[in-house]
Amino acid sequence: MLQEIETKVPKTTEALHVSAEAAQAVKNILAERKLEGYALRIYVAGSGCSGMQFGMALDNNIRSSDLSFQAEGVQVVVDEVSIEYLRGAKVDFVNDPQHGAGFVVDSPLASQGGGCSCGSKSEGHSHSAGDSCGCGGGSCGCGN
């Protein structure tokens, strides 16, 4: 006999940390584009040798199954699949004179999705001077 069960996504904010700098950058973008009622959606965009690749979007289509929380005055949403790879992650906004400004997702679980051994080093991920990738802690294909 088959029995239908209901599953629930835990609605906790401890899974993901958004820095004050990242939240302020999102607020600035939302204000500049006059987007009221939008949230920052963080999601798994794919995986490769270096692990999970994360994406971000401004979204006003929040589903009931999404994890949703406030971080420094910004609504953040994550779908029920992506949250499993974002537990313990930190989202930051950096403005590096050599590499430019952008968001960085540093997830301790980012390397779990990689299916090959091409020299990925998601822990302590870094680049030498002149190298750049916008990887967010192991989500690029640079092999670092």
Side-chain angles (χ1 to χ4, degrees), residues 65-138:
S65 60
D66 286 334
L67 169 73
S68 179
F69 64 95
Q70 291 285 321
E72 303 283 335
V74 171
Q75 184 180 9
V76 179
V77 294
V78 182
D79 65 81
E80 66 274 11
V81 174
S82 297
I83 194 62
E84 294 306 318
Y85 298 98
L86 285 163
R87 292 200 187 283
K90 295 177 183 160
V91 178
D92 201 3
F93 184 83
V94 295
N95 193 355
D96 184 322
Q98 287 184 318
H99 302 116
F103 292 93
V104 176
V105 178
D106 184 15
S107 174
L109 304 176
S111 65
Q112 286 187 354
C116 63
S117 57
C118 61
S120 65
K121 299 179 195 169
S122 63
E123 289 185 49
H125 184 84
S126 63
H127 294 280
S128 328
D131 293 340
S132 67
C133 73
C135 57

Short mmCIF file of all heavy atoms in Angstrom, two decimals, residues 65-138:
data_model
loop_
_atom_site.label_atom_id
_atom_site.label_comp_id
_atom_site.label_asym_id
_atom_site.label_seq_id
_atom_site.Cartn_x
_atom_site.Cartn_y
_atom_site.Cartn_z
N SER A 65 7.67 26.67 -1.56
CA SER A 65 8.71 25.71 -1.16
C SER A 65 10.07 26.36 -0.97
O SER A 65 11.01 25.71 -0.51
CB SER A 65 8.81 24.59 -2.20
OG SER A 65 9.16 25.13 -3.46
N ASP A 66 10.21 27.64 -1.32
CA ASP A 66 11.49 28.35 -1.15
C ASP A 66 11.78 28.64 0.31
O ASP A 66 10.86 28.92 1.09
CB ASP A 66 11.47 29.69 -1.90
CG ASP A 66 11.58 29.55 -3.40
OD1 ASP A 66 12.12 28.55 -3.88
OD2 ASP A 66 11.11 30.47 -4.10
N LEU A 67 13.05 28.59 0.66
CA LEU A 67 13.51 29.10 1.95
C LEU A 67 13.62 30.61 1.76
O LEU A 67 14.22 31.07 0.79
CB LEU A 67 14.87 28.51 2.30
CG LEU A 67 15.61 29.14 3.47
CD1 LEU A 67 14.93 28.73 4.77
CD2 LEU A 67 17.05 28.71 3.49
N SER A 68 13.02 31.38 2.63
CA SER A 68 13.02 32.83 2.50
C SER A 68 13.36 33.44 3.85
O SER A 68 12.81 33.03 4.87
CB SER A 68 11.65 33.30 2.03
OG SER A 68 11.62 34.69 1.91
N PHE A 69 14.27 34.41 3.85
CA PHE A 69 14.63 35.08 5.09
C PHE A 69 15.17 36.48 4.79
O PHE A 69 15.50 36.79 3.65
CB PHE A 69 15.66 34.27 5.90
CG PHE A 69 17.00 34.09 5.22
CD1 PHE A 69 18.05 34.94 5.50
CD2 PHE A 69 17.19 33.07 4.31
CE1 PHE A 69 19.28 34.78 4.87
CE2 PHE A 69 18.42 32.88 3.69
CZ PHE A 69 19.47 33.75 3.97
N GLN A 70 15.23 37.30 5.82
CA GLN A 70 15.76 38.65 5.72
C GLN A 70 17.21 38.65 6.17
O GLN A 70 17.56 38.03 7.18
CB GLN A 70 14.97 39.61 6.61
CG GLN A 70 13.56 39.88 6.13
CD GLN A 70 13.52 40.80 4.93
OE1 GLN A 70 14.28 41.77 4.83
NE2 GLN A 70 12.64 40.48 4.00
N ALA A 71 18.06 39.33 5.41
CA ALA A 71 19.47 39.48 5.77
C ALA A 71 19.84 40.94 5.59
O ALA A 71 19.84 41.44 4.46
CB ALA A 71 20.35 38.60 4.89
N GLU A 72 20.07 41.61 6.68
CA GLU A 72 20.47 43.02 6.63
C GLU A 72 19.48 43.86 5.82
O GLU A 72 19.86 44.75 5.08
CB GLU A 72 21.88 43.15 6.03
CG GLU A 72 22.97 42.37 6.73
CD GLU A 72 23.42 43.03 8.03
OE1 GLU A 72 23.27 44.25 8.16
OE2 GLU A 72 23.94 42.30 8.89
N GLY A 73 18.18 43.54 5.94
CA GLY A 73 17.16 44.31 5.24
C GLY A 73 16.87 43.89 3.81
O GLY A 73 16.12 44.55 3.11
N VAL A 74 17.47 42.78 3.37
CA VAL A 74 17.23 42.27 2.02
C VAL A 74 16.57 40.90 2.13
O VAL A 74 17.01 40.06 2.91
CB VAL A 74 18.56 42.13 1.24
CG1 VAL A 74 18.37 41.40 -0.07
CG2 VAL A 74 19.19 43.49 1.01
N GLN A 75 15.50 40.69 1.35
CA GLN A 75 14.88 39.37 1.34
C GLN A 75 15.74 38.45 0.47
O GLN A 75 16.09 38.80 -0.65
CB GLN A 75 13.45 39.41 0.80
CG GLN A 75 12.77 38.06 0.87
CD GLN A 75 11.36 38.07 0.32
OE1 GLN A 75 10.90 39.04 -0.26
NE2 GLN A 75 10.68 36.96 0.52
N VAL A 76 16.08 37.28 1.01
CA VAL A 76 16.88 36.28 0.31
C VAL A 76 16.03 35.04 0.15
O VAL A 76 15.37 34.62 1.10
CB VAL A 76 18.17 35.96 1.10
CG1 VAL A 76 18.99 34.90 0.39
CG2 VAL A 76 18.99 37.22 1.34
N VAL A 77 16.04 34.43 -1.04
CA VAL A 77 15.31 33.19 -1.27
C VAL A 77 16.24 32.16 -1.90
O VAL A 77 17.13 32.49 -2.68
CB VAL A 77 14.06 33.39 -2.17
CG1 VAL A 77 13.02 34.23 -1.48
CG2 VAL A 77 14.42 33.97 -3.51
N VAL A 78 16.02 30.91 -1.49
CA VAL A 78 16.80 29.78 -2.01
C VAL A 78 15.82 28.62 -2.20
O VAL A 78 14.99 28.36 -1.34
CB VAL A 78 17.91 29.36 -1.02
CG1 VAL A 78 18.74 28.21 -1.57
CG2 VAL A 78 18.81 30.54 -0.65
N ASP A 79 15.94 27.94 -3.34
CA ASP A 79 15.03 26.81 -3.57
C ASP A 79 15.44 25.61 -2.71
O ASP A 79 16.54 25.56 -2.16
CB ASP A 79 14.99 26.42 -5.06
CG ASP A 79 16.31 25.91 -5.56
OD1 ASP A 79 16.61 24.73 -5.34
OD2 ASP A 79 17.07 26.71 -6.17
N GLU A 80 14.54 24.63 -2.63
CA GLU A 80 14.73 23.49 -1.72
C GLU A 80 15.89 22.59 -2.12
O GLU A 80 16.45 21.88 -1.27
CB GLU A 80 13.44 22.69 -1.58
CG GLU A 80 12.99 21.98 -2.85
CD GLU A 80 12.13 22.85 -3.78
OE1 GLU A 80 12.03 24.07 -3.59
OE2 GLU A 80 11.58 22.26 -4.73
N VAL A 81 16.31 22.58 -3.37
CA VAL A 81 17.45 21.76 -3.80
C VAL A 81 18.76 22.50 -3.54
O VAL A 81 19.70 21.96 -2.97
CB VAL A 81 17.33 21.38 -5.29
CG1 VAL A 81 18.59 20.67 -5.77
CG2 VAL A 81 16.10 20.51 -5.52
N SER A 82 18.81 23.77 -3.91
CA SER A 82 20.04 24.56 -3.77
C SER A 82 20.47 24.72 -2.33
O SER A 82 21.67 24.78 -2.03
CB SER A 82 19.86 25.93 -4.42
OG SER A 82 19.63 25.81 -5.80
N ILE A 83 19.51 24.79 -1.40
CA ILE A 83 19.87 25.02 0.00
C ILE A 83 20.77 23.91 0.53
O ILE A 83 21.62 24.15 1.39
CB ILE A 83 18.62 25.21 0.89
CG1 ILE A 83 19.02 25.78 2.26
CG2 ILE A 83 17.84 23.93 1.06
CD1 ILE A 83 19.66 27.13 2.23
N GLU A 84 20.63 22.71 -0.01
CA GLU A 84 21.47 21.60 0.45
C GLU A 84 22.94 21.84 0.14
O GLU A 84 23.81 21.32 0.83
CB GLU A 84 21.00 20.29 -0.17
CG GLU A 84 19.63 19.85 0.31
CD GLU A 84 19.51 19.77 1.83
OE1 GLU A 84 20.45 19.27 2.49
OE2 GLU A 84 18.48 20.22 2.36
N TYR A 85 23.25 22.63 -0.89
CA TYR A 85 24.63 22.94 -1.25
C TYR A 85 25.08 24.29 -0.72
O TYR A 85 26.24 24.65 -0.84
CB TYR A 85 24.78 22.90 -2.78
CG TYR A 85 24.48 21.54 -3.34
CD1 TYR A 85 23.23 21.25 -3.87
CD2 TYR A 85 25.43 20.53 -3.29
CE1 TYR A 85 22.94 19.98 -4.37
CE2 TYR A 85 25.15 19.27 -3.77
CZ TYR A 85 23.90 19.01 -4.31
OH TYR A 85 23.63 17.76 -4.78
N LEU A 86 24.15 25.03 -0.14
CA LEU A 86 24.47 26.35 0.39
C LEU A 86 24.53 26.38 1.91
O LEU A 86 24.78 27.42 2.50
CB LEU A 86 23.45 27.37 -0.11
CG LEU A 86 23.63 27.78 -1.57
CD1 LEU A 86 22.37 28.45 -2.11
CD2 LEU A 86 24.84 28.67 -1.74
N ARG A 87 24.31 25.24 2.57
CA ARG A 87 24.39 25.20 4.04
C ARG A 87 25.78 25.59 4.49
O ARG A 87 26.76 25.03 4.05
CB ARG A 87 24.02 23.83 4.56
CG ARG A 87 22.57 23.52 4.34
CD ARG A 87 22.06 22.43 5.26
NE ARG A 87 20.70 22.06 4.89
CZ ARG A 87 19.63 22.78 5.20
NH1 ARG A 87 19.77 23.88 5.89
NH2 ARG A 87 18.43 22.39 4.82
N GLY A 88 25.84 26.59 5.35
CA GLY A 88 27.11 27.07 5.87
C GLY A 88 27.83 28.03 4.95
O GLY A 88 28.94 28.47 5.25
N ALA A 89 27.22 28.38 3.83
CA ALA A 89 27.86 29.28 2.86
C ALA A 89 27.82 30.73 3.33
O ALA A 89 26.96 31.11 4.13
CB ALA A 89 27.19 29.16 1.50
N LYS A 90 28.75 31.49 2.80
CA LYS A 90 28.80 32.93 3.07
C LYS A 90 28.76 33.65 1.73
O LYS A 90 29.50 33.32 0.81
CB LYS A 90 30.09 33.28 3.81
CG LYS A 90 30.14 32.68 5.19
CD LYS A 90 31.44 32.99 5.88
CE LYS A 90 31.44 32.27 7.22
NZ LYS A 90 32.75 32.08 7.77
N VAL A 91 27.85 34.62 1.64
CA VAL A 91 27.75 35.45 0.45
C VAL A 91 28.32 36.81 0.81
O VAL A 91 27.93 37.41 1.82
CB VAL A 91 26.28 35.60 -0.01
CG1 VAL A 91 26.18 36.50 -1.22
CG2 VAL A 91 25.68 34.23 -0.28
N ASP A 92 29.24 37.29 -0.01
CA ASP A 92 29.89 38.57 0.26
C ASP A 92 29.96 39.37 -1.03
O ASP A 92 29.79 38.83 -2.12
CB ASP A 92 31.29 38.34 0.82
CG ASP A 92 31.84 39.53 1.57
OD1 ASP A 92 31.14 40.54 1.73
OD2 ASP A 92 33.00 39.46 2.02
N PHE A 93 30.22 40.65 -0.90
CA PHE A 93 30.46 41.52 -2.04
C PHE A 93 31.85 42.10 -1.84
O PHE A 93 32.15 42.67 -0.81
CB PHE A 93 29.42 42.65 -2.11
CG PHE A 93 29.58 43.51 -3.33
CD1 PHE A 93 29.05 43.12 -4.54
CD2 PHE A 93 30.29 44.70 -3.26
CE1 PHE A 93 29.21 43.89 -5.68
CE2 PHE A 93 30.44 45.49 -4.38
CZ PHE A 93 29.91 45.09 -5.60
N VAL A 94 32.70 41.89 -2.83
CA VAL A 94 34.08 42.37 -2.72
C VAL A 94 34.36 43.37 -3.84
O VAL A 94 33.79 43.28 -4.92
CB VAL A 94 35.10 41.21 -2.78
CG1 VAL A 94 34.95 40.30 -1.57
CG2 VAL A 94 34.96 40.41 -4.06
N ASN A 95 35.22 44.31 -3.55
CA ASN A 95 35.65 45.29 -4.54
C ASN A 95 37.17 45.27 -4.56
O ASN A 95 37.83 46.03 -3.88
CB ASN A 95 35.12 46.68 -4.20
CG ASN A 95 35.27 47.64 -5.36
OD1 ASN A 95 35.87 47.31 -6.39
ND2 ASN A 95 34.75 48.84 -5.19
N ASP A 96 37.71 44.36 -5.35
CA ASP A 96 39.15 44.16 -5.45
C ASP A 96 39.69 45.02 -6.59
O ASP A 96 39.21 44.90 -7.73
CB ASP A 96 39.40 42.67 -5.73
CG ASP A 96 40.87 42.32 -5.76
OD1 ASP A 96 41.68 43.12 -6.27
OD2 ASP A 96 41.22 41.22 -5.30
N PRO A 97 40.68 45.88 -6.32
CA PRO A 97 41.22 46.74 -7.37
C PRO A 97 41.76 45.97 -8.58
O PRO A 97 41.68 46.44 -9.70
CB PRO A 97 42.34 47.50 -6.68
CG PRO A 97 42.09 47.36 -5.23
CD PRO A 97 41.31 46.11 -5.04
N GLN A 98 42.29 44.78 -8.37
CA GLN A 98 42.84 43.98 -9.47
C GLN A 98 41.78 43.20 -10.23
O GLN A 98 41.87 43.03 -11.43
CB GLN A 98 43.88 43.00 -8.96
CG GLN A 98 45.18 43.65 -8.56
CD GLN A 98 46.19 42.61 -8.15
OE1 GLN A 98 45.86 41.65 -7.45
NE2 GLN A 98 47.42 42.79 -8.59
N HIS A 99 40.78 42.69 -9.53
CA HIS A 99 39.80 41.79 -10.14
C HIS A 99 38.43 42.40 -10.33
O HIS A 99 37.56 41.77 -10.93
CB HIS A 99 39.69 40.49 -9.33
CG HIS A 99 40.99 39.79 -9.20
ND1 HIS A 99 41.61 39.61 -7.99
CD2 HIS A 99 41.82 39.24 -10.13
CE1 HIS A 99 42.75 38.96 -8.18
NE2 HIS A 99 42.89 38.73 -9.47
N GLY A 100 38.21 43.58 -9.79
CA GLY A 100 36.91 44.24 -9.92
C GLY A 100 35.97 43.91 -8.78
O GLY A 100 36.31 43.22 -7.83
N ALA A 101 34.75 44.41 -8.91
CA ALA A 101 33.74 44.23 -7.87
C ALA A 101 32.79 43.11 -8.26
O ALA A 101 32.52 42.88 -9.43
CB ALA A 101 32.96 45.53 -7.68
N GLY A 102 32.29 42.40 -7.25
CA GLY A 102 31.32 41.36 -7.51
C GLY A 102 30.97 40.57 -6.28
O GLY A 102 31.57 40.72 -5.22
N PHE A 103 29.97 39.73 -6.44
CA PHE A 103 29.52 38.86 -5.36
C PHE A 103 30.35 37.59 -5.33
O PHE A 103 30.77 37.09 -6.37
CB PHE A 103 28.04 38.49 -5.54
CG PHE A 103 27.13 39.65 -5.36
CD1 PHE A 103 26.72 40.41 -6.46
CD2 PHE A 103 26.65 40.00 -4.11
CE1 PHE A 103 25.88 41.49 -6.29
CE2 PHE A 103 25.80 41.08 -3.94
CZ PHE A 103 25.42 41.83 -5.04
N VAL A 104 30.55 37.08 -4.13
CA VAL A 104 31.31 35.86 -3.94
C VAL A 104 30.49 34.93 -3.04
O VAL A 104 30.00 35.35 -2.00
CB VAL A 104 32.67 36.14 -3.26
CG1 VAL A 104 33.42 34.86 -2.97
CG2 VAL A 104 33.52 37.06 -4.12
N VAL A 105 30.33 33.69 -3.47
CA VAL A 105 29.68 32.67 -2.65
C VAL A 105 30.75 31.69 -2.22
O VAL A 105 31.39 31.06 -3.06
CB VAL A 105 28.56 31.92 -3.42
CG1 VAL A 105 27.95 30.83 -2.54
CG2 VAL A 105 27.50 32.88 -3.90
N ASP A 106 30.97 31.60 -0.92
CA ASP A 106 31.96 30.68 -0.39
C ASP A 106 31.22 29.59 0.38
O ASP A 106 30.71 29.82 1.47
CB ASP A 106 32.92 31.43 0.54
CG ASP A 106 34.04 30.53 1.06
OD1 ASP A 106 34.24 29.43 0.50
OD2 ASP A 106 34.71 30.93 2.02
N SER A 107 31.11 28.42 -0.24
CA SER A 107 30.35 27.32 0.37
C SER A 107 31.26 26.16 0.71
O SER A 107 32.01 25.68 -0.13
CB SER A 107 29.27 26.83 -0.60
OG SER A 107 28.64 25.69 -0.07
N PRO A 108 31.18 25.68 1.96
CA PRO A 108 32.00 24.52 2.33
C PRO A 108 31.54 23.26 1.61
O PRO A 108 32.27 22.28 1.54
CB PRO A 108 31.78 24.40 3.84
CG PRO A 108 30.51 25.11 4.12
CD PRO A 108 30.39 26.19 3.07
N LEU A 109 30.34 23.27 1.04
CA LEU A 109 29.81 22.10 0.34
C LEU A 109 29.98 22.19 -1.17
O LEU A 109 29.52 21.31 -1.89
CB LEU A 109 28.33 21.93 0.67
CG LEU A 109 28.01 21.82 2.16
CD1 LEU A 109 26.51 21.76 2.37
CD2 LEU A 109 28.68 20.61 2.77
N ALA A 110 30.63 23.23 -1.67
CA ALA A 110 30.72 23.46 -3.12
C ALA A 110 31.42 22.34 -3.86
O ALA A 110 31.11 22.06 -5.00
CB ALA A 110 31.43 24.78 -3.40
N SER A 111 32.35 21.66 -3.23
CA SER A 111 33.10 20.62 -3.93
C SER A 111 32.36 19.30 -4.01
O SER A 111 32.78 18.40 -4.71
CB SER A 111 34.45 20.39 -3.24
OG SER A 111 34.24 19.89 -1.94
N GLN A 112 31.20 19.17 -3.35
CA GLN A 112 30.47 17.91 -3.35
C GLN A 112 29.90 17.55 -4.70
O GLN A 112 29.65 16.40 -4.99
CB GLN A 112 29.32 17.95 -2.34
CG GLN A 112 29.80 17.86 -0.93
CD GLN A 112 28.65 17.74 0.03
OE1 GLN A 112 27.48 17.83 -0.32
NE2 GLN A 112 28.97 17.53 1.29
N GLY A 113 29.70 18.55 -5.58
CA GLY A 113 29.07 18.25 -6.86
C GLY A 113 30.04 17.88 -7.95
O GLY A 113 29.64 17.44 -9.01
N GLY A 114 31.34 18.05 -7.76
CA GLY A 114 32.31 17.77 -8.81
C GLY A 114 32.42 16.29 -9.09
O GLY A 114 32.49 15.48 -8.18
N GLY A 115 32.45 15.92 -10.36
CA GLY A 115 32.50 14.50 -10.69
C GLY A 115 33.81 14.08 -11.31
O GLY A 115 33.93 12.97 -11.80
N CYS A 116 34.80 14.95 -11.34
CA CYS A 116 36.08 14.56 -11.93
C CYS A 116 37.21 15.01 -11.02
O CYS A 116 37.00 15.72 -10.08
CB CYS A 116 36.23 15.17 -13.31
SG CYS A 116 36.24 16.97 -13.33
N SER A 117 38.40 14.60 -11.33
CA SER A 117 39.54 14.99 -10.50
C SER A 117 40.50 15.81 -11.36
O SER A 117 41.49 15.32 -11.86
CB SER A 117 40.24 13.76 -9.95
OG SER A 117 40.64 12.92 -11.01
N CYS A 118 40.14 17.07 -11.55
CA CYS A 118 40.96 17.92 -12.41
C CYS A 118 41.73 18.95 -11.60
O CYS A 118 42.04 20.01 -12.09
CB CYS A 118 40.08 18.61 -13.44
SG CYS A 118 38.82 19.67 -12.74
N GLY A 119 42.03 18.66 -10.36
CA GLY A 119 42.84 19.56 -9.56
C GLY A 119 42.06 20.62 -8.83
O GLY A 119 42.59 21.67 -8.55
N SER A 120 40.79 20.36 -8.53
CA SER A 120 40.01 21.38 -7.81
C SER A 120 40.47 21.47 -6.37
O SER A 120 40.86 20.50 -5.76
CB SER A 120 38.52 21.04 -7.86
OG SER A 120 38.26 19.85 -7.17
N LYS A 121 40.42 22.69 -5.87
CA LYS A 121 40.77 22.95 -4.48
C LYS A 121 39.76 23.93 -3.93
O LYS A 121 40.04 25.10 -3.82
CB LYS A 121 42.15 23.59 -4.37
CG LYS A 121 43.28 22.76 -4.89
CD LYS A 121 44.57 23.55 -4.74
CE LYS A 121 45.69 22.99 -5.54
NZ LYS A 121 46.82 23.86 -5.61
N SER A 122 38.58 23.45 -3.60
CA SER A 122 37.55 24.38 -3.14
C SER A 122 37.88 24.96 -1.78
O SER A 122 37.50 26.06 -1.47
CB SER A 122 36.19 23.70 -3.10
OG SER A 122 36.19 22.65 -2.19
N GLU A 123 38.62 24.24 -0.97
CA GLU A 123 39.01 24.80 0.32
C GLU A 123 40.25 25.63 0.12
O GLU A 123 41.21 25.21 -0.52
CB GLU A 123 39.29 23.68 1.32
CG GLU A 123 38.04 22.96 1.76
CD GLU A 123 38.33 21.95 2.83
OE1 GLU A 123 39.01 22.31 3.80
OE2 GLU A 123 37.89 20.81 2.67
N GLY A 124 40.25 26.84 0.63
CA GLY A 124 41.40 27.72 0.48
C GLY A 124 41.59 28.16 -0.96
O GLY A 124 42.69 28.41 -1.39
N HIS A 125 40.54 28.24 -1.70
CA HIS A 125 40.58 28.61 -3.11
C HIS A 125 41.16 30.00 -3.25
O HIS A 125 40.72 30.93 -2.62
CB HIS A 125 39.15 28.56 -3.66
CG HIS A 125 39.08 28.83 -5.11
ND1 HIS A 125 39.28 27.85 -6.04
CD2 HIS A 125 38.83 29.96 -5.80
CE1 HIS A 125 39.14 28.36 -7.24
NE2 HIS A 125 38.86 29.64 -7.12
N SER A 126 42.17 30.15 -4.10
CA SER A 126 42.76 31.46 -4.31
C SER A 126 43.41 31.52 -5.68
O SER A 126 43.56 30.51 -6.34
CB SER A 126 43.81 31.76 -3.23
OG SER A 126 44.86 30.82 -3.34
N HIS A 127 43.79 32.71 -6.07
CA HIS A 127 44.43 32.92 -7.37
C HIS A 127 45.68 33.75 -7.19
O HIS A 127 45.77 34.57 -6.31
CB HIS A 127 43.47 33.66 -8.32
CG HIS A 127 42.27 32.84 -8.67
ND1 HIS A 127 42.30 31.87 -9.61
CD2 HIS A 127 41.01 32.85 -8.18
CE1 HIS A 127 41.11 31.31 -9.70
NE2 HIS A 127 40.32 31.89 -8.83
N SER A 128 46.63 33.54 -8.08
CA SER A 128 47.84 34.35 -8.08
C SER A 128 47.51 35.71 -8.68
O SER A 128 46.49 35.89 -9.33
CB SER A 128 48.94 33.73 -8.95
OG SER A 128 48.88 32.35 -8.94
N ALA A 129 48.43 36.65 -8.53
CA ALA A 129 48.23 37.97 -9.10
C ALA A 129 48.03 37.84 -10.61
O ALA A 129 48.73 37.10 -11.29
CB ALA A 129 49.45 38.85 -8.82
N GLY A 130 47.02 38.53 -11.11
CA GLY A 130 46.73 38.48 -12.54
C GLY A 130 45.71 37.43 -12.93
O GLY A 130 45.14 37.49 -14.00
N ASP A 131 45.49 36.42 -12.10
CA ASP A 131 44.48 35.40 -12.39
C ASP A 131 43.16 35.84 -11.76
O ASP A 131 43.14 36.41 -10.70
CB ASP A 131 44.86 34.05 -11.77
CG ASP A 131 46.09 33.44 -12.41
OD1 ASP A 131 46.42 33.85 -13.53
OD2 ASP A 131 46.70 32.57 -11.77
N SER A 132 42.07 35.57 -12.45
CA SER A 132 40.77 35.88 -11.88
C SER A 132 39.73 34.95 -12.44
O SER A 132 39.92 34.38 -13.50
CB SER A 132 40.38 37.33 -12.17
OG SER A 132 40.16 37.49 -13.55
N CYS A 133 38.63 34.80 -11.70
CA CYS A 133 37.57 33.95 -12.23
C CYS A 133 36.20 34.27 -11.69
O CYS A 133 35.25 33.78 -12.20
CB CYS A 133 37.88 32.48 -12.00
SG CYS A 133 37.71 31.98 -10.30
N GLY A 134 36.00 35.03 -10.65
CA GLY A 134 34.66 35.24 -10.12
C GLY A 134 34.03 33.96 -9.63
O GLY A 134 32.86 33.69 -9.77
N CYS A 135 34.86 33.11 -9.05
CA CYS A 135 34.47 31.74 -8.74
C CYS A 135 33.63 31.58 -7.50
O CYS A 135 32.86 30.66 -7.40
CB CYS A 135 35.72 30.90 -8.59
SG CYS A 135 36.79 31.58 -7.33
N GLY A 136 33.80 32.41 -6.53
CA GLY A 136 33.01 32.27 -5.32
C GLY A 136 33.37 31.05 -4.50
O GLY A 136 32.51 30.38 -3.98
N GLY A 137 34.63 30.73 -4.41
CA GLY A 137 35.05 29.65 -3.52
C GLY A 137 34.90 28.27 -4.12
O GLY A 137 34.37 27.37 -3.51
N GLY A 138 35.36 28.09 -5.31
CA GLY A 138 35.38 26.75 -5.86
C GLY A 138 34.34 26.50 -6.93
O GLY A 138 34.13 25.37 -7.30
#
